Amino acid sequence: MIISAHDNNLAYCLAVEKLLGLEIPPKAQWMRVLMNELTRINSHLVWLGTHAMDLGAMTVFSIASASAEDVLRFFRDGQRAADDDFVFPHWRPGT
């Protein structure tokens, strides 16, 4: 599992857009913030689950893993809606 993959993609898009002098629509900016926050929540859930498992708290691990899967399912549904196979559709410079 890649932790905070969206954050890395956002940094790339922002750099390309700055170099090209592109103006990004407010809706796209809002969507990027939403995706970054969901990725951050997912990363924290993975952290919580793995550290709880190290302490022997398997229930916390199960709940955190299920919640992290819900976030990933949300990403996959958006990916299928965009007919995109390899990358999430939210990260293209200029969109």
Side-chain angles (χ1 to χ4, degrees):
M1 174 181 285
I2 299 173
I3 305 297
S4 296
H6 282 275
D7 297 339
N8 297 327
N9 292 338
L10 177 62
Y12 170 75
C13 285
L14 291 176
V16 169
E17 290 162 358
K18 188 173 184 178
L19 287 171
L20 296 175
L22 296 175
E23 183 69 29
I24 306 307
K27 185 176 179 181
Q29 293 175 2
W30 177 83
M31 180 64 76
R32 288 177 175 181
V33 170
L34 176 68
M35 290 298 125
N36 273 339
E37 291 302 316
L38 286 173
T39 301
R40 188 176 62 82
I41 290 168
N42 188 47
S43 297
H44 282 86
L45 287 169
V46 170
W47 170 83
L48 177 66
T50 55
H51 284 281
M53 188 172 60
D54 287 343
L55 297 173
M58 291 304 294
T59 302
V60 176
F61 172 74
S62 299
I63 293 170
S65 295
S67 299
E69 276 297 315
D70 289 341
V71 173
L72 291 176
R73 191 173 302 113
F74 176 76
F75 289 151
R76 283 192 301 264
D77 290 345
Q79 187 177 4
R80 276 190 224 117
D83 288 332
D84 204 345
D85 293 334
F86 299 109
V87 295
F88 291 116
H90 320 292
W91 303 110
R92 293 198 178 104
T95 60

